[in-house]
Amino acid sequence: MEINERTAHWTQTLQVSGYRLTAARLSVVNVIAASQKALNPMDAYLLARQECPGLGLVTVYRTLEKLEELGLVVRVHAPDGCGAYLSAAEGHEHLIICTHCQRAEYFAGDDLHPLMDRVAAEHGYQIQDHWLQLFGICPECRENS
Ligand SMILES: [Zn+2]
Ligand SMILES: [Zn+2]
C-alpha cells in the first residue's frame, strides 16, 4: 500500500471506530504510516512534533494503542524489548528487521510446514498459528559498513 493510501485507510478506520482525529493524533498517524522503520513512542514523538509542536507524549502512547487495537499497527519484538510499532502486514506476511537501522520489511511465503509437522508429531500438538521475525543487516547498511 502506498503511504497516502495507507494514511487515508487508517484515518477512515479510526473515524469509523468513533475516534476523534485531532491534529495531534493525526500527526502521530502520519508519522507511523509513512515510516519504513519500527518506531518506539519516543521516536514517533520527536518526528510528529515537527508537524505538531504542541504534541504530548501521552497522546503518542494513546494513539499507538488505538492503532494497535484496530490492527493497523503491530508491535515489533526486538532484543531490547517490544516497544516499537510498525504498520501491520497486509495478509500473512513476516517481518525482516535490520539490526543496524531498524528498517523493517515484510516478506511473503515461509517454508515452515515441514517444521510444524515435525513439531506437531513429536509433541502431539495441533499447531494453529505461528509467528516469525527475522533479523539481519539491510542492503544499505551492508554497503555502508
Ligand atoms: Zn539497515
Ligand atoms: Zn507464515
Side-chain angles (χ1 to χ4, degrees), residues 92 94 110 112 130 132:
H92 186 92
H94 298 292
D110 57 56
L112 293 175
H130 65 268
L132 176 70

Side-chain angles (χ1 to χ4, degrees), residues 2-97:
E2 296 289 316
I3 290 166
N4 291 342
E5 213 183 317
R6 183 185 294 139
T7 310
H9 170 60
W10 286 15
T11 52
Q12 199 195 358
T13 307
L14 285 162
Q15 278 162 344
V16 167
S17 81
Y19 196 68
R20 202 166 57 85
L21 268 177
T22 60
R25 289 166 174 181
L26 191 59
S27 70
V28 179
V29 168
N30 287 339
V31 158
I32 298 284
S35 181
Q36 265 211 330
K37 297 176 184 183
L39 299 176
N40 65 39
M42 187 52 82
D43 300 328
Y45 171 70
L46 294 174
L47 286 168
R49 270 221 323 193
Q50 295 170 12
E51 180 184 322
C52 183
L55 178 68
L57 194 52
V58 174
T59 302
V60 176
Y61 276 97
R62 298 234 170 100
T63 307
L64 290 172
E65 276 167 20
K66 189 69 191 174
L67 288 168
E68 188 184 19
E69 189 187 307
L70 293 170
L72 300 173
V73 302
V74 291
R75 268 196 225 205
V76 169
H77 299 254
D80 63 348
C82 307
Y85 294 79
L86 183 74
S87 304
E90 295 155 32
H92 186 92
E93 292 184 309
H94 298 292
L95 261 184
I96 184 161
I97 299 166

